[in-house]
Amino acid sequence: YYWRWFSYEFVEEGPSIIAAIDWAFANGEAEDVLTLSYEAYWYLQVVGRWTELYSLLQRSLQLARSINNRKTIARFLGELGWFDRQRGKYSEAEEKFKEAHHIFVELGSREGEGIALQWLSSANRKRQNFSESKRLCEEALQIAKELGAGDIEALINTERGKLYRDMNDWEESWKMFSKVKDWFETRVAETPHDEELAVGTWGQLALVAYHLGRYEEARKLCLRSLEFFGEKGSKGYMATLKFRLALAEEALGNRKEAVKHAEEAVHWFERLEIRPDVDEARAFLLKLLGKRSK
């Protein structure tokens, strides 16, 4: 969340930045190394080199601890926790999110506290602790409103949309994601580095539209989002969009297209070790292949 703007500005310079990382850790000033790590972070996200990225985050966290840069420690904990959550390691994710939240509270950073509460909400949602997830979202939302921080409020509302989605409350989920979409689409004209968040919300709406039986709308929303993520966004979310597109295509009777997109989703879910998504996508692909062979 904090470093999203690095993903585009530095993507072409990514290989050079990565080449400089080892030298920087051995020879550079700590603060300069951390800045370089921020720049490398989104490049590795975009190209899908998550194992290398996780290792970089661990090294960077260790460095931030060594100089007691507490805000940076909390940020790296949040990013590492995000990867743990993506890979189904919910206890590890929650542990990191709790430490980050504690640091932000001690620093008196209300903005950081609100974001960390959203992180904690996501870990509880993944465990299906829906009441606790909702409570944490409401606490975070109150902070965002007190600060008048529309960007943090949108981030929290995105989590609320996911919470309603995972509770199968599709109408409420649609309302929440639509609110986020409207906010970001207005905002992105003024702040271009919000583009990934704005476009990503279309993909969230796509899954909800699918479950509401609006398959063609789901397909179009996926394709709109993939125009961005297929080229310069996170490979993890690109895989998610491919899976959602496969669902929509299958519902529309386009089995050949569904198989193609499902195969690509499975490839990236496996490569990035995203769980439990990979199991769901594999099962769907096998179902498609079984249908196709009849």
Side-chain angles (χ1 to χ4, degrees), residues 30-129:
E31 295 293 348
D32 293 336
V33 175
L34 291 173
T35 299
L36 198 63
S37 296
Y38 301 158
E39 297 171 10
Y41 174 90
W42 278 105
Y43 169 73
L44 292 172
Q45 264 273 40
V46 169
V47 297
R49 289 157 58 180
W50 278 19
T51 300
E52 187 176 347
L53 175 51
Y54 196 85
S55 176
L56 171 63
L57 288 171
Q58 289 177 313
R59 293 174 72 189
S60 299
L61 174 61
Q62 185 177 12
L63 179 60
R65 289 192 192 280
S66 74
I67 61 172
N68 199 32
N69 186 329
R70 303 200 71 209
K71 183 173 280 191
T72 300
I73 290 169
R75 293 175 178 179
F76 280 122
L77 283 167
E79 296 297 344
L80 283 164
W82 182 87
F83 281 102
D84 286 340
R85 192 196 69 197
Q86 290 293 103
R87 290 174 162 174
K89 300 177 180 179
Y90 304 138
S91 296
E92 292 92 329
E94 187 169 20
E95 183 180 339
K96 292 179 176 70
F97 294 155
K98 282 182 176 178
E99 184 181 352
H101 177 258
H102 178 73
I103 291 171
F104 283 129
V105 170
E106 285 198 334
L107 291 174
S109 171
R110 293 288 279 166
E111 178 182 279
E113 183 182 351
I115 292 169
L117 286 168
Q118 180 262 327
W119 292 339
L120 283 165
S121 175
S122 72
N124 278 275
R125 172 176 56 81
K126 285 290 191 178
R127 287 172 154 173
Q128 297 190 331
N129 296 332

Side-chain angles (χ1 to χ4, degrees), residues 174-194:
W174 180 269
K175 290 176 186 176
M176 199 58 60
F177 285 132
S178 293
K179 182 186 294 188
V180 175
K181 176 185 74 71
D182 292 344
W183 191 87
F184 272 122
E185 286 183 356
T186 300
R187 171 82 169 172
V188 76
E190 305 169 8
T191 315
H193 64 258
D194 281 341

Side-chain angles (χ1 to χ4, degrees), residues 189-224:
E190 305 169 8
T191 315
H193 64 258
D194 281 341
E195 184 181 6
E196 182 172 352
L197 292 168
V199 178
T201 306
W202 297 340
Q204 302 291 357
L205 285 165
L207 183 61
V208 181
Y210 168 80
H211 282 282
L212 289 171
R214 291 155 26 193
Y215 304 131
E216 184 58 36
E217 184 175 9
R219 177 181 176 275
K220 288 178 179 177
L221 284 163
C222 278
L223 289 172
R224 286 179 70 193

Side-chain angles (χ1 to χ4, degrees), residues 149-160:
D151 52 346
I152 298 177
E153 186 172 343
L155 189 71
I156 295 161
N157 281 336
T158 298
E159 179 58 34
R160 293 170 76 199

Side-chain angles (χ1 to χ4, degrees), residues 3-11 35 38-39 42-43:
W3 310 326
R4 193 167 298 276
W5 65 278
F6 285 103
S7 52
Y8 323 124
E9 185 171 340
F10 292 97
V11 70
T35 299
Y38 301 158
E39 297 171 10
W42 278 105
Y43 169 73

